[in-house]
Every structure is written in structure tokens, then in C-alpha cells.
């Protein structure tokens, strides 16, 4: 069994079948998730920076102090739903408090934008999830928040004196860009709130903020990190160790989102090194990662270095063509200019790799940044051109 | 016959068949173009802002004073080709000067990145083009610069006392973004160089800088505007009239690029109005125009307003959900929240329109901006995933 947030000491999960979206019902997949902590938990959160924020985001942004858990639904994003949406999100959190006899809950939704929540179904599903608290283990909580995802996404890390476990969802509308995707992470480590905030932001920059599927930023992105404090005490001295563990879990979750990118057949790891500073590296990597011409070339297993160099230059971060080096896998394709290589060999490497390594050395400094992206395929177009159902 | 730059008094065009790219030969399409002005012409130019600039861009950027014309080839971009590329671009310009017995020439290339120019073929084709000067009329000069374009692109406007005519090419790697695409425009109006510069920049903002196909910026983008001065004198008083005419020609050329966007079946006109300032309107319109989720919804004729509103918010230009209104065609779909509409009717409008109008009113001010984009289709993926040939 793959472990996730339910395996973190002090966390219990329950799921419900509300039939919020017809297709979820067909798949026999739960659409509602309640996560409860044994005792009130400190938490940290990062939210989408989209100007248009879904109702649950607005409601969760107001939560201060400790929380008793999270309530979430899939199939309906409760976004662009006005005052009624806010009232519905508030009710989801309150109902979960009442039924569990606990304190405040964070709330999250994911799915179609612009439809009002079918609250009868949601209420029924929350009641069911609460009744079943403790029964949803491993991948089951992650299944309850899937939409176009094709597999549930969990990560778990047993560290020295504490554990970190989490779940996430996402496959399209992925370009967190200073916000993040829907992800719920728990730890039993005892971390004071300010350190928890710092750790989440730091880990986030290299995980959820370093991926893209389609450059589209969601109205519902959020990451919640809850700490029950049942495990080891994390002070300033243990901080960097804690962040490393958290990063590992969050990077694993972020990787799974890209791997499950809508229609994707390949993951590409775009590493930009030799940059003057991290921001330069990040921007160049991001521009390459977003380029539809690079993404279609990945799909075609075409080592089209010209498109990669053109995308890097389009970032307008002052790269110097004459200094730039480019490798795909172990193959050097460009070193201040075209170099000789056997194209068939590189194409074969791309065909045989589920994960393609692209390394761009700017030779301007010593900073680096790695961005994850996926290929752009017929299936991405099919999935997103089909009429909403 | 559709008129273009060859129909502007004082301009002569000739084309040559070099066989620079095998496919061009197969199509029996010329791949080399020489444009000569009867007498030395004032000119203005805008170039790609990509850090990686093709050799002909670097060479043309150095040209000052008057020019006698333009030499261009398709099938090979002469980009990322190092010192040899520069020497080749310089030779193209010099050879054209020698063969015509004229002054300096601007030079441009378009096609595959990273391959050295086959100079034997290029020399032969330039000689042929010079020999045939005056024979290429109407769409023929535009045909010589086509790559993945499916039709030649020309525009012509007869104004009071002068004419403006131009040609352009482009179908993929289109996101000029403060630079522009390959376009050659001629006028017989007599415009002093500073005014000519100002006019080109002004017209460019609303034409080539207001379109996107795939968000990828080329290494070779450039627009050349040449004025022979045989026609009407344009001073400060006639300036705005001249700019209007120039805009009309450049907007027509820009529109044709989007219409011919790789794999595109629909053009969408994204109009953002009620903005605090033009820049806010431009950025929101651009974010919508670039969104793959919006572009696939256009292909699917799905009036998915949620994706449009989410993309508008992702621009992070401070839009206010409660104030925002959205129309597709004449249909109001969102007014600070969902409004009732017949989805089938809107979808039918999208199916029946080659050009879909999307209007987003931010209700924050009185400025507006219109961006042109196209849909994202299976064919875009096919064209760009296929191995280079």
C-alpha cells in the first residue's frame, strides 16, 4: 500500500460518494474527503495568486490559529459562484465541525468552474465521510480529489523522529506560478507556526512552483500543511532537516502531477545551470518548459535544439548565444553553436526515456534551477476540446 | 490580382528558386526574394527582442541611412550559425548590391534554425531573382518567403496621394511580443526618417504585437518599412492619416498570420475593454489569447467562460470578478457571476463563425485592447511533433 496523509500519526481520513459529477459516480470514485486531526493542528497554507479566486480559497484564507482538519470535494470548483458560493464553502466547513464535534476546518474544491455546488449531495457526502473517518487509507483519500487525474497521487517519508505524508491532485490547468496546486500535507513534527510557514514557502518554490503542464493557472490552487505536534520537536537547529524531508515529499507530489499531465506521454526535466542568479535560471527554465514548440518536439522525440535555444532567448534574461551549451540526456547538441552529433541516437534516447533530461548551461554564473514539464500531445487537445459533460 | 509590395510605385521584386529546402522545390515555390527600390529609400525596422538573434537580424540592425532594398530567403533561418552565419548574411546583402549595381540591402531569413546556409544555392537564387526583377507581382513575392504558411499574405491600400503595400509570412513560432514577424512594407509617401520610425512603432503595437499563435518568439522576426518618397509629402499634419493607412495594411497582414496559424481552424478576436489603462487591457487580452485551455475550447466550440475568466484572472492585473462581464459573440455569459444563457445557441455561433468575438469588460476604466489568436488543434500538434524533414 502506498502511504499518504492517512498514515501520518494523528490524522484520520474519511471519504464520501455524493455523485457531485455524473462521471465520478460512473467511475465509482468518491468525491468528498474529510481529514481530521486528533488534536488541533498548526497549519500553513499557500494559495493561488489568480485575481479570480474560488469561494473555498477566499474562505480558507480567512482561517487563523489552529485547525481540526480539511474538507474537500471534487467535481465542482465552486469558483465564480458569487455570494452563494461563499455561503456554500462556509457551510461545508461548519457542517464538518458540527458532525465531528471538532474546531475549524479548511475547505477546498476542485472541478468545473461556474456551476453552483449541489449542496444536498455535498451535505450527504460529508456526513458519509465523517461516519467513515479512519477507513480511508493509503491512496483512497487522494482518489476522492481526482478530476482528470488518471492515478491518485501520494507521498510519504519516514524521517528521524517524525513523518511527512501528503496527497495531491492535478493534471490540467497547471501553472502554479507563485501559487500552487491542490495538495494536503500532514506531519506529526512539532513545528512552531512561523517556522511551518517558512518551510512550506521554501519547499513550495522548488516543488509546486517549479512545474507546468499548460501554463494555465487555476482559480482553486492551494496547499495545506498541517502539523499535529505528536512527534519530534523542530526548532531552528532541526529546521533545515525538516525542510529537506518536506521538499522530498512535495517534489514527489509535484512530479506526479506532471507525469499525469493531461495527455502527457513524457516528463521533461529542464535544468538551467550556470546562471547569474536563481531567478535568471528559473525564468529561462520556465520559458523553455512552457514553449508549445518544445513540448510538441518532446512528443515527436525530435532533438530540435533550435527551438530550445530560441525559447531560452525569448525569456529575455540576457543569455549569450556564444556561451550557451545544450545537452539532451548525455548528448551535447550545442556549444556556442551547432556541434556534430548523431541525431538518430538522440532521438532514440528520447523515445526510450519516460523522463527526458534537458540541460542548458548559460555559462554566466553558478546558479541553477530545474523545472518539470510534459509533452504536448493529441490527447491534450482531445481532452480539452471535448465539450464539457 | 491581390496587390502587395510590388505594386507600390518605385518598388520592383524578383524571385529565385534555389532549392534551399527540398520541400520548397517539391512545391515549385520560389525561396529567394529580392526587392529593389528605384531610388535609395528611407527605412524603419523593428526586430525580435529574443536574446538569440539570427545572423541576418544582427546584420540588418547595423544598417543606417538609406537602403536600396531587401534580400530574403526562406527554408533556412540562418540562426545559431555563429560567425559563418554572419559572413553569409553579409554576403547575401553585398552580392545583391553588386548584381543590381545599387547601394545597401537589408537581409532577412526564415526557416529551420541551426543549419548553415547552402550558399551555392543562395547565390544562384539571388542571381536569378535579380535577373527577373520586376517580374514578380501580386502574391509572388510573398510566396518566396513562405515556410509552413498555407497561403501568401499581402495587403495594399491606396490612400490620398500615396499607397502602402506589404507582404508577410508566418504561421508558427508566433508571439512577436515587442518584436514582430517577418514583414516587408513599402510606401511611396515621402516621410522623414524620425516620423517613419514613430509610425512603424505605433502601427506595430496594434498589429504584429497584438497577435499570437503559440506564444513562441522567433529568432528571426523583423518588419522593414521602406519609403521611396515618390508620392505625397507626409509632415506632422499628415502624420496621423499616414499612420491610419499603415495600421490598416499592417493589421491586415497580422490578421492573415493568425488565420494561417499552424493547424488553426478559427480566429478569435479577444477584446478587453473597461480597463484602467491600455497596458492592463493588453495584458489581460494576451493572457486569454495565450491560454491553451481557452484555445482548445475554441477548437471544441465550447463556450467555456470559466476558462476565459480564470485566464483573465491569471494575468494578475487586478481584475475584479464581481465587476467583470463576458460576451461570446452577442451572447452575455457572465456578469459578475453566471447568467442564464442557452449554451447550445452559443456553441452554434462558435461553430458557424470563422472568427469568434470574445469581449471581456473589466468595468474598471475606459481603455481597451484587442488581441488576435487562433485555436489549438490536433493539426498544430501534428505539424510540430513531426520529425524535421
Amino acid at each position: 500500500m502506498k502511504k499518504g496523509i492517512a498514515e501520518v500519526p494523528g490524522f484520520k481520513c474519511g471519504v464520501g460518494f455524493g455523485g457531485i459529477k455524473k462521471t465520478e459516480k460512473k467511475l465509482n470514485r468518491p468525491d468528498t474527503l474529510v481529514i481530521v486531526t486528533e488534536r488541533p493542528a498548526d497549519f500553513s497554507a499557500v494559495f493561488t495568486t489568480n485575481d479570480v479566486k474560488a469561494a473555498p480559497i477566499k474562505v480558507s484564507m480567512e482561517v487563523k490559529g489552529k485547525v481540526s482538519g480539511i474538507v474537500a470535494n471534487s467535481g465542482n470548483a465552486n469558483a465564480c459562484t458569487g455570494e452563494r458560493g461563499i455561503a456554500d464553502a462556509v457551510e461545508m466547513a461548519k457542517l464538518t465541525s458540527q458532525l465531528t464535534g471538532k474546531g475549524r476546518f479548511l475547505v477546498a474544491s476542485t472541478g468545473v468552474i461556474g456551476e453552483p455546488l449541489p449542496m444536498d449531495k455535498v451535505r450527504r457526502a460529508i456526513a458519509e465521510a465523517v461516519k467513515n473517518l479512519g477507513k480511508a487509507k493509503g491512496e483512497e483519500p487522494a482518489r476522492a480529489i481526482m478530476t482528470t487525474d488518471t492515478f491518485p497521487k501520494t507521498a510519504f517519508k519516514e524521517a528521524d523522529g517524525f513523518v511527512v505524508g501528503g496527497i495531491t491532485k492535478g493534471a490540467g490547468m497547471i501553472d502554479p506560478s507563485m501559487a500552487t496546486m491542490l495538495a494536503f500535507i500532514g506531519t506529526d513534527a512539532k513545528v512552531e507556526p512561523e517556522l511551518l510557514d517558512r518551510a512550506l514557502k521554501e519547499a513550495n518554490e522548488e516543488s509546486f512552483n517549479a512545474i507546468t503542464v499548460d501554463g494555465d493557472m487555476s482559480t482553486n490552487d492551494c496547499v495545506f500543511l498541517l502539523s499535529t505536534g505528536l512527534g519530534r520537536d523542530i526548532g531552528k537547529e532541526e529546521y533545515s532537516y525538516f525542510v529537506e524531508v518536506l521538499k522530498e515529499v512535495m517534489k514527489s507530489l509535484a512530479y506526479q502531477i506532471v507525469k499525469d499531465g493531461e495527455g502527457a506521454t513524457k516528463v521533461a526535466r529542464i535544468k538551467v545551470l550556470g546562471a547569474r542568479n536563481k531567478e535568471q535560471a528559473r525564468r529561462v527554465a520556465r520559458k523553455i518548459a512552457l514553449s508549445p514548440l518544445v513540448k510538441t518536439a518532446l512528443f515527436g522525440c525530435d532533438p530540435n535544439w533550435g527551438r530550445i535555444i530560441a525559447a531560452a532567448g525569448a525569456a529575455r534574461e540576457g543569455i549569450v548565444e556564444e556561451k550557451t551549451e545544450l545537452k539532451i540526456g548525455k548528448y551535447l547538441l550545442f556549444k556556442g553553436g551547432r556541434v556534430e552529433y548523431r541525431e538518430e541516437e538522440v532521438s532514440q534516447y528520447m523515445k526510450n526515456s519516460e523522463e527526458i533530461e534537458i540541460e542548458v548551461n548559460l555559462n554566466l554564473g553558478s546558479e541553477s534551477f530545474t523545472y518539470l514539464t510534459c509533452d504536448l500531445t493529441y490527447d491534450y487537445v482531445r481532452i480539452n476540446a471535448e465539450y464539457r459533460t
Side-chain angles (χ1 to χ4, degrees), chain A residues 11 37 39-45 64-69 106 185-187 189-194 196-197 224-229:
Chain A
F11 286 80
T37 55
R39 56 185 204 188
D42 286 313
F43 80 99
S44 175
K64 308 281 175 232
K66 298 196 182 229
V67 294
S68 294
L106 293 162
I185 302 153
T187 180
K190 191 169 161 57
V191 196
E192 52 163 330
E194 300 92 274
L196 204 63
D197 272 345
F224 298 146
L225 168 63
L226 276 62
S227 130
T228 57

Side-chain angles (χ1 to χ4, degrees), chain A residues 57-134:
Chain A
I57 295 288
K58 290 177 186 161
V59 170
S60 292
M61 284 176 92
E62 295 298 314
V63 178
K64 308 281 175 232
K66 298 196 182 229
V67 294
S68 294
I70 301 165
V71 55
N73 73 278
S74 58
N76 183 314
N78 192 10
C80 300
T81 43
E83 290 182 17
R84 170 164 171 197
I86 299 283
D88 289 346
V90 168
E91 188 187 338
M92 282 176 68
K94 283 205 171 146
L95 181 64
T96 313
S97 292
Q98 283 165 11
L99 295 174
T100 54
K102 296 264 186 177
R104 268 168 310 207
F105 277 76
L106 293 162
V107 57
S109 296
T110 176
V112 176
I113 297 175
E115 312 272 338
L117 272 182
M119 281 304 287
D120 280 355
K121 293 176 180 175
V122 172
R123 284 185 205 106
R124 218 182 312 127
I126 290 176
E128 186 188 343
V130 171
K131 213 174 69 186
N132 293 321
L133 269 171

